[in-house]
Amino acid sequence: MRKVFYVCVALLLIISCDRDKNGDVVNDTILTIRNEIDLKLDYDTVSIEFDSIFLFNYKKFSSNGIIYAGYNSSHHSIDLFDLEKEQIMKSISLSREGPESIGIVKGIFFHSIDSIFLVSDGSLCIFDSEGRLTRNILINRSELYLSPGNEANNVFFDRLDKSIYIQNIDNQYGQCSKDHYKVSILAKIRLDNESIELLPLYYPKIYSNSYYGFCVEPQYSFIDKRVILTFPIESSVYVYNIETKLTRGYGGESLLSKSLAEPLPWSACNDNDLKMRHFIENVNFQRVIYDKWRNLFYRFHLSDIKGPDSQGRFKGPNQKKQILTIFNENFEVLGEIELNERRYITPSSFAGPKGLYLGAPSGENSLRFHILKIV
């Protein structure tokens, strides 16, 4: 199935802002200039058929664009798929008990067939292709709790520095405290000496000034000595340079939706109904995906929607627009696309040699993606 279509988009040239190593904004001036251009896009589908022991959607996965590794929570296994040949490679069974056991997997990084990094509660483990445990590092020490916070976040291995990057979750203050948003977001674990370093990456100050309910989970990617950080409530993209320890912010404003969520009063902290309504009605910006084959960046977000209609009925999350923003290597916005073909599971998306793989499960016995490619 192939479709070719054209999209008229805007080019945004952005003057970035720098943060010092304490996370403070040095220059927050952002200039936006729009120039109309045309993008030609190609659309394709890949589908890998299987029997019932596999899953049609893996909430925790890792892919290098050629091999897809997903954690199968039902069978406690790592399932490997060849995306180029569109076939199953193997399923690696994990032990639930004994010296080589691991609990529920909350993070995965596929480095090679015999070097698969897995994170469970309190442990960073490395397994080979036979499910044998080759390394186990205890990571939750003192007051630290290191674990990917949601299904979009993961662990990342820097093969040059021999380090793992993983989310640091505040377990001291809680989201109702302004101090929660002053805690470092990301940690670095060195494999040579197992030391843990908290990076100077923090929430934007807007989170300390106002309350945003359920829209608080940071999302991140690791790309060539850089951490790409986004937050649900705003369109800005933050790029942290690991070597210089400086963070640069880029605007990334949307022309198809609002670019900033509305705040809640701090008194709403314990009102889950109000927070859920706020979550549904406001924009929700997601993580950035790097396409090394085209030197592009992609970011999904869900649009804002209006409140109750004249009869007092509220709209649901499925009525929000799914929007894809495309950036060049300088995080200048090349364009935006409304994904109205169908509802995609955007946290399941990744880049590969053929293009951007969009999670498009059929609900049947197949691992299925739509592939979007700029040609």
Side-chain angles (χ1 to χ4, degrees), residues 31-316:
L31 177 65
T32 302
I33 301 174
R34 295 181 173 87
N35 296 314
E36 297 297 321
I37 63 173
D38 287 330
L39 288 178
K40 185 179 179 181
L41 304 175
D42 192 32
Y43 223 8
D44 204 352
T45 299
V46 59
S47 183
I48 302 175
E49 307 298 322
F50 50 68
D51 59 35
S52 58
I53 70 168
F54 297 95
L55 305 179
F56 60 82
N57 178 49
Y58 290 84
K59 292 185 177 180
K60 284 299 178 183
F61 74 94
S62 176
S63 178
N64 59 12
I66 299 172
I67 296 176
Y68 179 98
Y71 171 60
N72 189 326
S73 56
S74 298
H75 292 86
H76 199 49
S77 63
I78 301 300
D79 299 338
L80 302 181
F81 301 87
D82 188 318
L83 296 173
E84 290 189 331
K85 297 179 181 179
E86 298 188 23
Q87 64 184 26
I88 301 167
M89 293 178 61
K90 68 181 304 182
S91 182
I92 304 172
S93 297
L94 303 174
S95 299
R96 297 182 186 273
E97 299 178 350
E100 296 193 342
S101 65
I102 185 172
I104 296 174
V105 173
K106 298 185 176 180
I108 175 174
F109 184 89
F110 179 84
H111 178 52
S112 69
I113 190 70
D114 279 316
S115 185
I116 303 173
F117 294 83
L118 302 178
V119 174
S120 184
D121 279 336
S123 294
L124 167 65
C125 302
I126 304 176
F127 285 86
D128 65 13
S129 60
E130 300 302 320
R132 292 185 291 257
L133 178 66
T134 61
R135 184 98 181 256
N136 185 3
I137 301 174
L138 300 179
I139 58 175
N140 289 340
R141 312 167 192 172
S142 184
E143 296 179 352
L144 293 179
Y145 181 68
L146 306 182
S147 179
N150 61 25
E151 64 181 86
N153 286 336
N154 218 330
V155 292
F156 295 91
F157 173 58
D158 182 354
R159 62 183 180 83
L160 297 178
D161 195 33
K162 305 298 182 185
S163 296
I164 286 285
Y165 292 86
I166 184 172
Q167 186 173 351
N168 175 45
I169 297 178
D170 165 45
N171 61 358
Q172 182 178 1
Y173 299 108
Q175 295 178 356
C176 292
S177 170
K178 293 184 179 181
D179 289 329
H180 171 81
Y181 306 98
K182 300 175 183 178
V183 173
S184 172
I185 291 172
L186 208 64
K188 172 182 177 179
I189 306 171
R190 294 188 60 90
L191 297 185
D192 56 359
N193 58 16
E194 301 186 2
S195 64
I196 298 176
E197 173 191 358
L198 293 180
L199 302 183
L201 273 170
Y202 308 93
Y203 281 88
K205 287 186 176 179
I206 189 172
Y207 274 101
S208 297
N209 297 332
S210 302
Y211 182 61
Y212 288 93
F214 292 138
C215 302
V216 296
E217 187 69 34
Q219 300 190 48
Y220 55 87
S221 303
F222 178 83
I223 301 147
D224 298 332
K225 297 296 182 182
R226 292 174 293 171
V227 177
I228 316 299
L229 192 63
T230 55
F231 298 88
I233 65 166
E234 62 165 341
S235 62
S236 296
V237 176
Y238 299 97
V239 182
Y240 172 74
N241 187 304
I242 293 172
E243 294 179 337
T244 66
K245 297 187 177 181
L246 291 177
T247 302
R248 174 166 288 183
Y250 299 87
E253 291 91 347
S254 174
L255 299 179
L256 300 180
S257 73
K258 291 183 178 179
S259 294
L260 183 65
E262 299 291 333
L264 286 167
W266 284 95
S267 59
C269 182
N270 295 315
D271 190 336
N272 287 337
D273 290 338
L274 180 58
K275 290 190 292 186
M276 180 56 67
R277 187 195 311 172
H278 173 268
F279 179 80
I280 292 174
E281 292 180 355
N282 279 276
V283 292
N284 192 303
F285 291 91
Q286 300 173 10
R287 71 184 174 96
V288 170
I289 299 170
Y290 179 53
D291 184 344
K292 68 179 182 180
W293 293 270
R294 294 156 197 86
N295 202 19
L296 295 173
F297 295 90
Y298 309 106
R299 182 200 61 200
F300 296 100
H301 80 272
L302 299 176
S303 70
D304 52 297
I305 55 175
K306 295 181 179 180
D309 58 22
S310 58
Q311 298 181 352
R313 293 174 297 191
F314 286 92
K315 295 182 178 181

